[in-house]
Amino acid sequence: MKKAFTKSLAAALILVTSSLPLHNLSAQAAASAATEAQTATLSQGMSGNAVGTLQSHLKALGYFTYPNITSYFGTITAQAVRSFQQAYSLPVTGTANAATQEALSRAVVKQQIVKDANNYLRVPYVWGGTTPSGFDCSGFIYFMFQKFGLSFERTSSEQMAGMGTAVSRANLQPGDWVFFGLNEPGVVSHVGMYTGNGEFISATRSMGVYTQKLDNSYWGPKYLGARRY
């Protein structure tokens, strides 16, 4: 399963890195970082292409603020890694082990998924729909993740609530799945994708694909939790 995910992540990174010219992140370097399984821990004092890729990913997500990609792991890079680790509930070490690098690669892909999701605003709701002709809530998430190479079986929002890892509301990051109970209290019946700034996007019966506030008067009381896939 992990090997399949690594291959799909590499393909997704090839797709999304073309939209990151300011970060000097080449598709070849990104794919290489993913397919090599990122087993080497990167730490202060190191330099090379792997460090450059690390900095480019951190820059794409807003954590590495130095103007240029230096490919040298100094104090600024270490602080950027710590900030990312804290935001994504990872051990805050300032060094980029395999788990940190994998989480960072996933986060870059999901950033692009969230950005692209806005191109489907107002696509109508269709029960069971998984195409731009019409989506249901889980079908929309399925389509977006498949499009960027992050594959999982087509399933329901209730089953998706058991996938990935749990995320607290305070630690939500773009691309996390958020779940709601619309029909029965405490029973998942709707899923959306967190987009940042307290908002999420989902396919709704009333408005089709739409972005709304997570804590508004309708959705807030129905919120049941979140997962990170």
Side-chain angles (χ1 to χ4, degrees), residues 198-215:
E199 296 182 336
F200 73 100
I201 189 168
S202 70
T204 65
R205 293 179 184 273
S206 58
M207 294 182 288
V209 175
Y210 203 69
T211 299
Q212 300 185 72
K213 287 290 186 182
L214 193 62
D215 61 354

Side-chain angles (χ1 to χ4, degrees), residues 157-158 161 166-169 172 177-192 200 214 218-227:
S157 58
E158 186 173 9
V167 180
S168 70
R169 188 162 178 163
L172 282 170
W177 300 343
V178 288
F179 298 92
F180 306 86
L182 305 186
N183 303 322
E184 272 184 73
V187 177
V188 170
S189 56
H190 188 80
V191 60
F200 73 100
L214 193 62
Y218 178 78
W219 294 102
K222 297 174 175 61
Y223 178 81
L224 295 179
R227 308 288 292 188

Side-chain angles (χ1 to χ4, degrees), residues 14-39:
I14 290 172
L15 174 64
V16 303
T17 49
S18 62
S19 64
L20 302 173
L22 297 179
H23 305 140
N24 298 321
L25 177 59
S26 73
Q28 183 179 4
S32 176
T35 55
E36 288 172 4
Q38 303 164 314
T39 55

